[in-house]
Amino acid sequence: MADTFISRTFDVTTGNRETVHDLTSTCTAFLDEVARGRSGLLNVFTPHATAGLAVIETGAGSDDDLLTALGHLLPSDDRWRHRHGSPGHGRDHVLPAIVPPHATLPVVDGALQLGTWQSVTLVDINRDNPERTVRLSFLG
């Protein structure tokens, strides 16, 4: 049975453009501090109705490809019933059904177990909310 649960939040400025923001180094630093060689689970959560978390490759175009794919799936136009905010903002509220606001990842001997090219990312297509909160929780 796990005997450690540590949780903390931090803020991310995503600005007024669609973005895939890499959180991997923040997750690693958190685990270096709190896991101390223990195995368990890292939960990453963003408490927003218009942002999500994805484990993807970054820096080689995949992050831009994800934004392009989301643009095709969730066009920024007037088809959405949810209509406050900038034009097409209703799509931002559908995003978490496709890119969920949480991820739970294995931690072994204090190290995050990602594949070679995987990164933990915050996906934000909402141009109306430039400030986001992310909660990291280690159970181990």
Side-chain angles (χ1 to χ4, degrees), residues 24-139:
T24 310
S25 63
T26 303
C27 293
T28 300
F30 173 73
L31 290 171
D32 288 347
E33 179 185 339
V34 303
R36 298 188 180 115
R38 289 188 300 269
S39 296
L41 296 171
L42 174 67
N43 181 265
V44 187
F45 176 73
T46 186
H48 298 283
T50 59
L53 296 158
V55 177
I56 64 167
E57 178 181 9
T58 59
S62 296
D63 35 359
D64 290 331
D65 289 341
L66 175 58
L67 293 175
T68 299
L70 290 171
H72 290 298
L73 288 169
L74 304 170
S76 183
D77 58 23
D78 65 355
R79 74 183 68 200
W80 307 101
R81 291 181 185 169
H82 186 106
R83 293 185 181 259
H84 77 85
S86 61
H89 176 66
R91 73 174 187 140
D92 302 338
H93 288 273
V94 176
L95 174 75
I98 297 168
V99 181
H102 57 86
T104 300
L105 306 163
V107 176
V108 177
D109 298 330
L112 189 57
Q113 299 298 294
L114 293 173
T116 301
W117 304 112
Q118 288 181 316
S119 297
V120 181
T121 65
L122 174 68
V123 180
D124 188 358
I125 60 172
N126 180 358
R127 297 180 192 135
D128 294 340
N129 189 352
E131 299 294 327
R132 298 301 184 157
T133 299
V134 176
R135 175 173 294 281
L136 300 178
S137 300
F138 174 69
L139 178 64

Side-chain angles (χ1 to χ4, degrees), residues 3-15:
D3 60 358
T4 299
F5 177 79
I6 300 170
S7 187
R8 94 175 34 127
T9 62
F10 64 96
D11 296 322
V12 177
T13 300
T14 58

